[in-house]
Amino acid sequence: MKVQLRPWMSDLASYVPGRKAAVSAGSMASNEPALAGSPAVHAAFSAAAETLHLYPDPLARELCQRVAELHGVDIDQVLVGNGSDELIFLLVLAYASMGGKVLLAEPPYRIHELAPEMLGAEVAKVPLVEWRHDLETMALEEADIAFVCNPHNPTGTALSASELARFTDRCRSGLVVVDEAYVDFADEVSATTSMERAGKGDLVVIRTFSKLFGLAGLRVGYMVGPTDVISQLRALRMPFSVNSPAQAAAVAALEDTKSSEAVRSYTLGAKETLRSLFAEAGYESVPSQANFLLVLAPDEESLVRRLARGGVSVRSGSALGIPGSVRVSVPSPEGMELLRSALASSG
Ligand SMILES: *Cc1c(COP(=O)(O)O)cnc(C)c1O
Protein backbone atom coordinates (compact mmCIF):
# COMPACT_ATOMS: atom_id res chain seq x y z
CA MET A 1 0.00 0.00 0.00
CA LYS A 2 1.49 3.32 -1.02
CA VAL A 3 -0.86 5.61 0.83
CA GLN A 4 -0.50 6.73 4.42
CA LEU A 5 -2.94 8.16 6.88
CA ARG A 6 -2.49 11.86 7.38
CA PRO A 7 -0.18 12.28 10.37
CA TRP A 8 -2.78 13.67 12.79
CA MET A 9 -4.96 10.61 12.20
CA SER A 10 -2.34 7.97 12.78
CA ASP A 11 -3.04 7.20 16.42
CA LEU A 12 -6.66 8.12 16.59
CA ALA A 13 -8.87 5.85 18.72
CA SER A 14 -12.01 5.14 16.71
CA TYR A 15 -15.51 5.24 18.16
CA VAL A 16 -16.47 2.11 20.12
CA PRO A 17 -20.25 1.56 20.05
CA GLY A 18 -22.13 0.08 22.99
CA ARG A 19 -22.50 -3.73 22.93
CA LYS A 20 -25.82 -5.27 22.04
CA ALA A 21 -27.20 -7.96 24.34
CA ALA A 22 -28.37 -11.36 22.99
CA VAL A 23 -32.01 -10.39 23.57
CA SER A 24 -32.61 -6.78 22.57
CA ALA A 25 -34.44 -5.92 25.82
CA GLY A 26 -31.12 -6.49 27.58
CA SER A 27 -29.28 -3.85 25.52
CA MET A 28 -28.74 -0.88 27.85
CA ALA A 29 -25.49 0.43 26.44
CA SER A 30 -26.53 2.88 23.73
CA ASN A 31 -29.30 5.05 25.24
CA GLU A 32 -31.84 3.95 22.66
CA PRO A 33 -35.46 4.60 23.64
CA ALA A 34 -37.13 2.03 25.87
CA LEU A 35 -40.24 1.70 23.70
CA ALA A 36 -40.45 0.95 19.97
CA GLY A 37 -41.47 3.69 17.53
CA SER A 38 -45.03 4.64 16.59
CA PRO A 39 -47.17 2.91 13.92
CA ALA A 40 -47.66 6.29 12.18
CA VAL A 41 -43.91 6.60 11.79
CA HIS A 42 -43.62 3.09 10.43
CA ALA A 43 -46.41 3.84 7.93
CA ALA A 44 -44.65 7.02 6.73
CA PHE A 45 -41.43 5.08 6.35
CA SER A 46 -43.12 2.34 4.30
CA ALA A 47 -44.94 4.86 2.10
CA ALA A 48 -41.58 6.41 1.22
CA ALA A 49 -40.69 3.12 -0.50
CA GLU A 50 -42.76 4.36 -3.48
CA THR A 51 -40.21 7.08 -4.24
CA LEU A 52 -36.93 5.27 -3.62
CA HIS A 53 -35.95 5.75 -7.27
CA LEU A 54 -35.85 9.53 -6.76
CA TYR A 55 -33.26 11.57 -4.95
CA PRO A 56 -34.42 13.00 -1.63
CA ASP A 57 -35.13 16.71 -1.24
CA PRO A 58 -31.60 17.97 -0.51
CA LEU A 59 -32.95 20.76 1.67
CA ALA A 60 -35.50 18.53 3.46
CA ARG A 61 -37.85 21.51 3.25
CA GLU A 62 -40.91 19.86 4.77
CA LEU A 63 -38.95 18.56 7.74
CA CYS A 64 -37.15 21.90 8.21
CA GLN A 65 -40.51 23.70 8.06
CA ARG A 66 -41.96 21.45 10.79
CA VAL A 67 -38.90 21.93 12.96
CA ALA A 68 -39.07 25.70 12.43
CA GLU A 69 -42.76 25.75 13.46
CA LEU A 70 -42.09 23.57 16.48
CA HIS A 71 -39.47 25.96 17.82
CA GLY A 72 -40.89 29.22 16.50
CA VAL A 73 -37.84 30.02 14.37
CA ASP A 74 -37.29 30.89 10.73
CA ILE A 75 -36.77 28.00 8.30
CA ASP A 76 -33.41 29.54 7.35
CA GLN A 77 -32.25 28.84 10.89
CA VAL A 78 -32.67 25.07 10.51
CA LEU A 79 -30.33 22.47 9.01
CA VAL A 80 -30.85 18.69 9.01
CA GLY A 81 -28.11 16.07 9.01
CA ASN A 82 -27.49 12.34 8.77
CA GLY A 83 -27.79 12.04 12.53
CA SER A 84 -26.59 14.86 14.71
CA ASP A 85 -23.16 13.30 14.31
CA GLU A 86 -23.00 14.69 10.75
CA LEU A 87 -23.83 18.16 12.05
CA ILE A 88 -21.10 17.92 14.69
CA PHE A 89 -18.57 17.00 11.99
CA LEU A 90 -19.80 19.82 9.74
CA LEU A 91 -19.45 22.42 12.48
CA VAL A 92 -15.91 21.32 13.24
CA LEU A 93 -15.03 21.12 9.53
CA ALA A 94 -16.32 24.63 8.89
CA TYR A 95 -15.03 26.46 11.93
CA ALA A 96 -12.14 24.57 13.51
CA SER A 97 -10.53 22.13 11.05
CA MET A 98 -6.83 22.29 10.16
CA GLY A 99 -5.54 24.31 13.04
CA GLY A 100 -8.58 25.63 14.86
CA LYS A 101 -9.56 24.78 18.41
CA VAL A 102 -12.51 23.01 20.05
CA LEU A 103 -13.42 23.31 23.72
CA LEU A 104 -15.03 20.37 25.54
CA ALA A 105 -15.79 19.08 28.99
CA GLU A 106 -13.69 16.19 30.32
CA PRO A 107 -14.99 13.55 29.87
CA PRO A 108 -16.84 14.65 26.73
CA TYR A 109 -19.36 12.95 24.45
CA ARG A 110 -16.90 10.99 22.34
CA ILE A 111 -18.09 12.28 18.94
CA HIS A 112 -17.46 15.90 20.06
CA GLU A 113 -13.83 14.87 20.51
CA LEU A 114 -13.50 12.50 17.58
CA ALA A 115 -14.56 15.11 15.00
CA PRO A 116 -11.76 17.58 15.87
CA GLU A 117 -9.26 14.74 16.18
CA MET A 118 -10.10 13.60 12.65
CA LEU A 119 -10.26 17.08 11.17
CA GLY A 120 -6.98 18.37 12.56
CA ALA A 121 -8.31 20.69 15.25
CA GLU A 122 -6.80 21.16 18.68
CA VAL A 123 -8.93 19.98 21.62
CA ALA A 124 -8.99 21.70 25.01
CA LYS A 125 -10.85 19.94 27.83
CA VAL A 126 -12.07 21.31 31.13
CA PRO A 127 -12.82 18.67 33.80
CA LEU A 128 -16.39 18.35 35.08
CA VAL A 129 -16.91 19.50 38.67
CA GLU A 130 -19.31 17.36 40.67
CA TRP A 131 -20.33 15.70 37.41
CA ARG A 132 -21.35 19.04 35.83
CA HIS A 133 -19.73 21.35 33.29
CA ASP A 134 -17.41 23.90 34.87
CA LEU A 135 -18.78 26.81 32.86
CA GLU A 136 -16.78 29.42 34.79
CA THR A 137 -13.51 27.87 33.65
CA MET A 138 -14.77 26.99 30.19
CA ALA A 139 -15.75 30.63 29.62
CA LEU A 140 -12.12 31.72 29.99
CA GLU A 141 -10.80 29.45 27.22
CA GLU A 142 -10.50 30.87 23.73
CA ALA A 143 -11.64 28.34 21.16
CA ASP A 144 -13.39 28.44 17.81
CA ILE A 145 -16.19 26.17 19.02
CA ALA A 146 -17.29 25.37 22.58
CA PHE A 147 -19.41 22.22 22.77
CA VAL A 148 -21.72 21.88 25.76
CA CYS A 149 -23.68 18.68 26.02
CA ASN A 150 -26.88 19.43 27.95
CA PRO A 151 -27.93 17.12 29.57
CA HIS A 152 -24.43 15.69 29.50
CA ASN A 153 -23.52 12.28 28.20
CA PRO A 154 -22.12 10.26 30.07
CA THR A 155 -23.21 11.81 33.39
CA GLY A 156 -26.86 12.76 32.74
CA THR A 157 -26.42 16.07 34.58
CA ALA A 158 -28.02 19.24 33.22
CA LEU A 159 -27.33 22.96 33.25
CA SER A 160 -30.18 25.44 33.37
CA ALA A 161 -30.95 27.62 30.36
CA SER A 162 -30.00 30.66 32.41
CA GLU A 163 -26.59 29.22 33.35
CA LEU A 164 -25.96 28.59 29.67
CA ALA A 165 -27.20 32.05 28.69
CA ARG A 166 -24.72 33.59 31.12
CA PHE A 167 -21.96 31.38 29.74
CA THR A 168 -22.83 32.39 26.17
CA ASP A 169 -22.66 36.08 27.06
CA ARG A 170 -19.27 35.76 28.75
CA CYS A 171 -17.50 33.02 26.87
CA ARG A 172 -14.46 33.80 24.74
CA SER A 173 -15.10 31.10 22.17
CA GLY A 174 -16.34 31.93 18.69
CA LEU A 175 -19.43 29.72 18.65
CA VAL A 176 -21.29 27.95 21.46
CA VAL A 177 -22.89 24.66 20.39
CA VAL A 178 -25.33 23.05 22.80
CA ASP A 179 -25.99 19.36 22.07
CA GLU A 180 -29.48 18.67 23.42
CA ALA A 181 -29.79 15.00 22.43
CA TYR A 182 -31.39 14.21 25.81
CA VAL A 183 -33.17 17.44 26.66
CA ASP A 184 -36.63 15.89 26.24
CA PHE A 185 -35.94 13.72 29.28
CA ALA A 186 -35.14 16.65 31.57
CA ASP A 187 -37.53 17.30 34.46
CA GLU A 188 -38.23 20.80 33.15
CA VAL A 189 -37.51 20.97 29.43
CA SER A 190 -38.31 24.68 29.08
CA ALA A 191 -35.94 25.65 31.90
CA THR A 192 -33.18 23.49 30.41
CA THR A 193 -33.24 24.10 26.65
CA SER A 194 -31.25 26.88 25.02
CA MET A 195 -33.57 26.94 22.00
CA GLU A 196 -34.67 30.51 22.71
CA ARG A 197 -31.09 31.78 22.40
CA ALA A 198 -30.61 29.63 19.29
CA GLY A 199 -33.67 31.33 17.81
CA LYS A 200 -32.06 34.69 18.48
CA GLY A 201 -28.96 33.53 16.63
CA ASP A 202 -26.70 33.65 19.70
CA LEU A 203 -25.73 29.98 19.67
CA VAL A 204 -26.39 26.65 17.98
CA VAL A 205 -28.64 23.93 19.42
CA ILE A 206 -28.38 20.38 18.07
CA ARG A 207 -31.23 17.88 18.46
CA THR A 208 -31.60 14.30 17.31
CA PHE A 209 -34.39 11.91 16.28
CA SER A 210 -32.37 9.03 17.73
CA LYS A 211 -33.48 9.25 21.35
CA LEU A 212 -37.03 10.44 22.15
CA PHE A 213 -38.34 9.73 18.64
CA GLY A 214 -36.76 6.31 18.34
CA LEU A 215 -35.23 6.75 14.88
CA ALA A 216 -31.61 5.90 15.73
CA GLY A 217 -31.54 3.41 12.86
CA LEU A 218 -32.54 6.04 10.29
CA ARG A 219 -29.98 8.71 11.19
CA VAL A 220 -31.66 12.12 11.40
CA GLY A 221 -30.68 15.14 13.47
CA TYR A 222 -31.10 18.88 13.12
CA MET A 223 -29.62 22.11 14.29
CA VAL A 224 -31.06 25.56 14.94
CA GLY A 225 -28.81 28.59 14.92
CA PRO A 226 -27.74 31.84 13.26
CA THR A 227 -28.79 32.08 9.59
CA ASP A 228 -25.23 32.75 8.41
CA VAL A 229 -23.96 29.59 10.12
CA ILE A 230 -26.81 27.57 8.62
CA SER A 231 -26.21 28.87 5.10
CA GLN A 232 -22.46 28.27 5.32
CA LEU A 233 -22.95 24.70 6.52
CA ARG A 234 -25.67 24.07 3.95
CA ALA A 235 -23.13 24.85 1.24
CA LEU A 236 -20.63 22.38 2.71
CA ARG A 237 -22.82 19.43 3.50
CA MET A 238 -23.32 16.39 1.28
CA PRO A 239 -26.59 17.39 -0.43
CA PHE A 240 -28.38 14.03 -0.12
CA SER A 241 -27.15 12.94 3.29
CA VAL A 242 -30.64 12.61 4.77
CA ASN A 243 -32.50 9.97 2.78
CA SER A 244 -36.18 10.24 1.84
CA PRO A 245 -37.59 7.53 4.18
CA ALA A 246 -35.74 9.23 7.02
CA GLN A 247 -37.21 12.63 6.13
CA ALA A 248 -40.72 11.16 5.92
CA ALA A 249 -40.39 9.25 9.19
CA ALA A 250 -39.02 12.28 11.01
CA VAL A 251 -41.97 14.44 9.87
CA ALA A 252 -44.38 11.75 11.07
CA ALA A 253 -42.52 11.43 14.37
CA LEU A 254 -42.88 15.16 15.05
CA GLU A 255 -46.60 14.91 14.30
CA ASP A 256 -47.18 11.93 16.60
CA THR A 257 -46.82 13.86 19.82
CA LYS A 258 -48.87 11.25 21.67
CA SER A 259 -46.20 8.60 21.06
CA SER A 260 -43.29 10.82 21.97
CA GLU A 261 -45.10 11.96 25.11
CA ALA A 262 -45.67 8.30 26.03
CA VAL A 263 -41.95 7.56 25.61
CA ARG A 264 -41.06 10.58 27.69
CA SER A 265 -43.38 9.79 30.58
CA TYR A 266 -42.50 6.08 30.59
CA THR A 267 -38.80 6.98 30.61
CA LEU A 268 -39.10 9.40 33.53
CA GLY A 269 -40.95 6.80 35.64
CA ALA A 270 -38.70 3.89 34.67
CA LYS A 271 -35.60 5.98 35.39
CA GLU A 272 -36.74 6.17 39.02
CA THR A 273 -37.30 2.39 39.11
CA LEU A 274 -33.83 1.91 37.65
CA ARG A 275 -32.30 4.20 40.26
CA SER A 276 -33.99 2.37 43.12
CA LEU A 277 -33.02 -1.09 41.77
CA PHE A 278 -29.38 -0.07 41.85
CA ALA A 279 -29.78 1.66 45.20
CA GLU A 280 -31.23 -1.54 46.71
CA ALA A 281 -28.23 -3.41 45.31
CA GLY A 282 -25.94 -0.93 47.09
CA TYR A 283 -25.05 1.38 44.21
CA GLU A 284 -25.48 5.15 44.24
CA SER A 285 -26.06 6.94 40.97
CA VAL A 286 -25.70 10.47 39.65
CA PRO A 287 -29.08 12.29 39.50
CA SER A 288 -29.98 12.13 35.81
CA GLN A 289 -31.90 14.42 33.46
CA ALA A 290 -31.42 11.99 30.55
CA ASN A 291 -32.67 8.52 29.54
CA PHE A 292 -29.76 6.79 31.24
CA LEU A 293 -28.15 6.60 34.64
CA LEU A 294 -24.48 6.83 35.58
CA VAL A 295 -24.18 4.25 38.36
CA LEU A 296 -21.19 4.55 40.69
CA ALA A 297 -19.62 1.12 40.92
CA PRO A 298 -16.17 0.69 42.49
CA ASP A 299 -16.45 -2.95 41.33
CA GLU A 300 -17.14 -1.83 37.74
CA GLU A 301 -15.65 -4.86 35.99
CA SER A 302 -17.35 -7.49 38.10
CA LEU A 303 -20.67 -5.63 37.92
CA VAL A 304 -20.43 -5.50 34.12
CA ARG A 305 -19.70 -9.26 34.06
CA ARG A 306 -22.52 -10.08 36.48
CA LEU A 307 -25.02 -8.10 34.40
CA ALA A 308 -23.71 -9.67 31.17
CA ARG A 309 -24.31 -13.16 32.61
CA GLY A 310 -27.91 -12.08 33.19
CA GLY A 311 -28.24 -10.96 29.56
CA VAL A 312 -27.82 -7.24 30.27
CA SER A 313 -25.31 -5.13 28.38
CA VAL A 314 -24.28 -1.77 29.90
CA ARG A 315 -21.49 0.69 29.06
CA SER A 316 -18.33 0.46 31.18
CA GLY A 317 -17.47 3.77 32.79
CA SER A 318 -13.78 3.17 32.01
CA ALA A 319 -14.59 3.34 28.32
CA LEU A 320 -16.36 6.66 28.86
CA GLY A 321 -13.64 8.30 30.91
CA ILE A 322 -15.23 7.63 34.33
CA PRO A 323 -13.61 4.50 35.79
CA GLY A 324 -15.56 3.04 38.69
CA SER A 325 -18.97 3.53 37.07
CA VAL A 326 -21.32 2.03 34.53
CA ARG A 327 -23.79 3.84 32.28
CA VAL A 328 -27.17 2.16 32.03
CA SER A 329 -29.91 3.20 29.59
CA VAL A 330 -33.50 3.20 30.87
CA PRO A 331 -34.79 -0.19 29.66
CA SER A 332 -38.18 -1.47 28.51
CA PRO A 333 -40.33 -3.23 31.13
CA GLU A 334 -38.93 -6.55 29.90
CA GLY A 335 -35.39 -5.22 30.18
CA MET A 336 -36.11 -3.98 33.71
CA GLU A 337 -37.01 -7.55 34.74
CA LEU A 338 -33.80 -8.91 33.19
CA LEU A 339 -31.88 -6.30 35.14
CA ARG A 340 -33.71 -7.05 38.39
CA SER A 341 -32.78 -10.75 38.16
CA ALA A 342 -29.22 -10.03 37.06
CA LEU A 343 -28.67 -7.70 40.04
CA ALA A 344 -30.17 -10.28 42.41
CA SER A 345 -27.84 -13.04 41.23
CA SER A 346 -24.68 -13.41 43.27
CA GLY A 347 -21.48 -11.93 41.89
C1 LIG B 1 -26.98 9.84 21.16
C2 LIG B 1 -26.36 11.18 21.07
C3 LIG B 1 -26.49 11.93 19.91
C4 LIG B 1 -27.26 11.41 18.74
O1 LIG B 1 -26.47 11.25 17.65
P1 LIG B 1 -27.18 10.86 16.26
O2 LIG B 1 -26.04 10.95 15.32
O3 LIG B 1 -28.23 11.90 16.01
O4 LIG B 1 -27.73 9.50 16.43
C5 LIG B 1 -25.95 13.20 19.87
N1 LIG B 1 -25.31 13.71 20.94
C6 LIG B 1 -25.19 13.02 22.07
C7 LIG B 1 -24.51 13.64 23.22
C8 LIG B 1 -25.68 11.72 22.17
O5 LIG B 1 -25.51 11.02 23.29
Side-chain angles (χ1 to χ4, degrees), residues 64-328:
C64 287
Q65 187 57 46
R66 300 299 178 93
V67 167
E69 284 163 14
L70 177 67
H71 298 302
V73 300
D74 197 273
I75 191 170
D76 294 332
Q77 293 185 273
V78 182
L79 182 68
V80 294
N82 186 260
S84 35
D85 290 351
E86 184 191 14
L87 300 171
I88 294 164
F89 270 81
L90 268 180
L91 283 160
V92 175
L93 178 70
Y95 303 120
S97 60
M98 307 303 294
K101 184 170 164 185
V102 171
L103 176 62
L104 305 174
E106 167 67 13
Y109 170 51
R110 179 66 186 138
I111 303 289
H112 293 164
E113 184 178 38
L114 195 56
E117 284 174 357
M118 282 188 185
L119 296 168
E122 185 192 337
V123 172
K125 293 194 278 188
V126 173
L128 299 175
V129 173
E130 291 171 6
W131 311 111
R132 299 173 85 240
H133 286 72
D134 178 0
L135 292 181
E136 295 289 316
T137 307
M138 288 180 78
L140 303 175
E141 285 276 344
E142 280 179 47
D144 297 289
I145 301 175
F147 278 106
V148 179
C149 192
N150 191 41
H152 194 42
N153 179 5
T155 59
T157 49
L159 304 155
S160 68
S162 55
E163 283 174 294
L164 265 169
R166 220 171 85 83
F167 170 73
T168 305
D169 293 336
R170 298 175 52 231
C171 110
R172 295 196 190 158
S173 294
L175 182 66
V176 174
V177 177
V178 187
D179 185 336
E180 296 190 348
Y182 300 100
V183 79
D184 298 295
F185 303 108
D187 295 333
E188 280 187 77
V189 177
S190 62
T192 309
T193 179
S194 296
M195 196 56 87
E196 195 183 329
R197 292 298 294 265
K200 290 184 177 145
D202 299 336
L203 49 77
V204 166
V205 163
I206 303 182
R207 297 273 185 104
T208 181
F209 283 90
S210 297
K211 306 284 155 58
L212 179 71
F213 296 111
L215 298 182
L218 277 182
R219 320 298 310 123
V220 201
Y222 64 86
M223 58 183 258
V224 175
T227 47
D228 48 352
V229 167
I230 300 298
S231 68
Q232 285 173 348
L233 297 189
R234 201 170 270 162
L236 287 175
R237 86 175 249 275
M238 293 296 132
F240 303 114
S241 68
V242 183
N243 64 66
S244 40
Q247 292 184 27
V251 168
L254 285 181
E255 263 172 22
D256 191 354
T257 50
K258 226 169 154 184
S259 279
S260 52
E261 191 43 51
V263 172
R264 178 182 141 80
S265 64
Y266 169 80
T267 304
L268 296 194
K271 180 161 62 177
E272 179 50 29
T273 310
L274 186 65
R275 191 201 60 76
S276 64
L277 274 185
F278 276 100
E280 283 160 22
Y283 296 99
E284 300 269 325
S285 47
V286 177
S288 166
Q289 301 279 309
N291 68 345
F292 60 83
L293 212 54
L294 187 72
V295 176
L296 306 179
D299 61 340
E300 175 186 327
E301 278 184 36
S302 74
L303 177 61
V304 170
R305 266 182 279 132
R306 172 148 58 113
L307 295 177
R309 275 199 299 276
V312 171
S313 162
V314 298
R315 199 66 159 262
S316 295
S318 300
L320 299 170
I322 309 182
S325 72
V326 298
R327 197 195 65 192
V328 188

Side-chain angles (χ1 to χ4, degrees), residues 37-48:
S38 84
V41 170
H42 293 170
F45 175 80
S46 304

